[in-house]
Amino acid sequence: MFLYFYQFVGKDLTGIIQFKSVVLGGLLLHLLLLGGCGQPATKTSPEQQTSSPKTVSDDSTQARASQDELNLSSIDLSPEDMYRVLLAEMLVVKGDVHSGYKVMFEVATRTRSPQLAERTFKLSMATYDLKAIASAAALWREVSPQQPLAWKASYIMQARDGKIQEALSSWDRFQALSPNDLVHDLMETGVRMTQAVQPENGMAFLQQLHQKFPQEVVMNYVLGMAAEAYKEFDVAIEQLEKTLQRLPLLDPAKIDAALKQQLYRESHHLLASAYLKSGQSDL
């Protein structure tokens, strides 16, 4: 069912699609780690600035960083590397996630271990340091190129940096590896862009994605949704009106009925919001 996406983001999409110029570390951590809830839809063919590092000392962050146990027995490590890994984990337990990440990154880079690369990525997100996240994501995708989460993190970080073509290439790899269908991945991408990427880069990325999938009605919705969140109201109105025009023409066999109703409801809501806000002079 397509509705598991909505179970992930909530019944009312518009309530969470609010761009913030400075992304809080906790939000970014949530965005990069958390996938959709419920059972993933079966993949089908398409119809079809860096934040300043800060000391992480709160209990919830420490718990997130140390909750995943690393199975060292499955990794071939030298005594020195084993010591360094244990040191990194001890630093995390003590609350010094930044130092633990740096030590783990060093060992993962040297050993090219997929398990250590994944662990490094998870620790990087607990640091709330966007440079660390980008570096760890790059390492993970090099060591484990079949991991979709590594490519998901990469396209978000690359879009933030304005590297749109690189971000699109990473998105293509992510979608090819994703267990979800194209509709889910497009809608999830729209939400992640508006919450984690600044307007200029987010719109540039989504417009390029729209050019890749012009036949997908959901892409009109995603672009309109993002444009409304980014206060690009002319684009929002145009794309949401196209969504409402194209939805009745869809073959019922090509779209889940509940999803279609949800798109109608959200498109009308966002369209009304875009019309209203476009007439305000103090936005």
Side-chain angles (χ1 to χ4, degrees):
M1 292 290 289
F2 288 113
L3 279 185
Y4 78 95
F5 171 78
Y6 295 101
Q7 293 167 357
F8 161 50
V9 298
K11 293 183 179 179
D12 183 2
L13 290 176
T14 60
I16 66 167
I17 303 168
Q18 297 177 352
F19 176 77
K20 299 185 183 302
S21 59
V22 178
V23 179
L24 298 178
L27 174 59
L28 185 60
L29 177 66
H30 173 78
L31 287 174
L32 296 181
L33 269 180
L34 191 61
C37 296
Q39 295 300 319
T42 302
K43 181 183 280 292
T44 58
S45 300
E47 166 225 13
Q48 19 200 287
Q49 350 240 237
T50 302
S51 63
S52 300
K54 59 184 179 181
T55 302
V56 180
S57 58
D58 66 281
D59 292 339
S60 61
T61 299
Q62 181 179 329
R64 282 194 300 269
S66 58
Q67 65 185 359
D68 297 317
E69 293 185 2
L70 191 60
N71 184 8
L72 294 177
S73 63
S74 65
I75 308 174
D76 185 16
L77 295 173
S78 68
E80 178 184 356
D81 286 334
M82 178 70 76
Y83 167 76
R84 300 290 288 173
V85 169
L86 294 174
L87 173 62
E89 294 292 350
M90 182 61 68
L91 289 168
V92 171
V93 170
K94 295 295 186 181
D96 190 356
V97 181
H98 266 92
S99 296
Y101 157 76
K102 290 178 180 178
V103 174
M104 191 71 76
F105 183 84
E106 173 194 331
V107 180
T109 300
R110 182 169 58 253
T111 63
R112 314 298 286 179
S113 163
Q115 297 97 318
L116 294 184
E118 179 177 359
R119 181 59 174 154
T120 299
F121 175 71
K122 292 178 179 179
L123 292 181
S124 75
M125 289 192 293
T127 69
Y128 300 163
D129 183 337
L130 301 185
K131 281 186 176 179
I133 295 171
S135 297
L139 174 63
W140 193 19
R141 70 173 183 260
E142 290 172 9
V143 173
S144 301
Q146 299 305 309
Q147 282 286 347
L149 182 57
W151 294 100
K152 180 186 291 187
S154 295
Y155 84 70
I156 293 174
M157 302 308 297
Q158 288 161 348
R160 282 184 60 88
D161 290 340
K163 300 174 181 177
I164 304 304
Q165 294 307 313
E166 290 183 28
L168 289 167
S169 294
S170 293
W171 190 92
D172 286 341
R173 290 295 304 273
F174 156 71
Q175 211 280 317
L177 296 167
S178 172
N180 305 321
D181 59 26
L182 178 62
V183 168
H184 173 277
D185 286 337
L186 289 174
M187 296 191 71
E188 182 186 57
T189 297
V191 172
R192 292 176 188 278
M193 283 291 111
T194 55
Q195 290 188 325
V197 179
Q198 57 270 46
E200 181 180 0
N201 294 343
M203 283 300 294
F205 177 87
L206 291 174
Q207 285 170 340
Q208 290 286 316
L209 203 59
H210 181 227
Q211 291 180 19
K212 289 173 64 70
F213 302 105
Q215 78 281 9
E216 294 291 337
V217 177
V218 72
M219 197 63 236
N220 293 116
Y221 170 77
V222 167
L223 189 55
M225 170 192 73
E228 196 277 340
Y230 285 143
K231 302 185 179 181
E232 297 281 350
F233 298 119
D234 289 343
V235 176
I237 291 169
E238 176 187 5
Q239 294 300 323
L240 292 167
E241 286 183 341
K242 285 183 179 179
T243 303
L244 293 170
Q245 291 166 5
R246 294 182 66 190
L247 277 173
L249 305 178
L250 283 180
D251 182 347
K254 300 290 187 179
I255 186 170
D256 181 85
L259 173 61
K260 187 175 181 179
Q261 291 179 357
Q262 188 79 42
L263 289 175
Y264 265 123
R265 190 159 52 246
E266 295 297 337
S267 294
H268 278 294
H269 182 96
L270 288 167
L271 185 59
S273 175
Y275 271 119
L276 178 64
K277 291 177 181 178
S278 65
Q280 297 180 10
S281 59
D282 58 343
L283 289 174

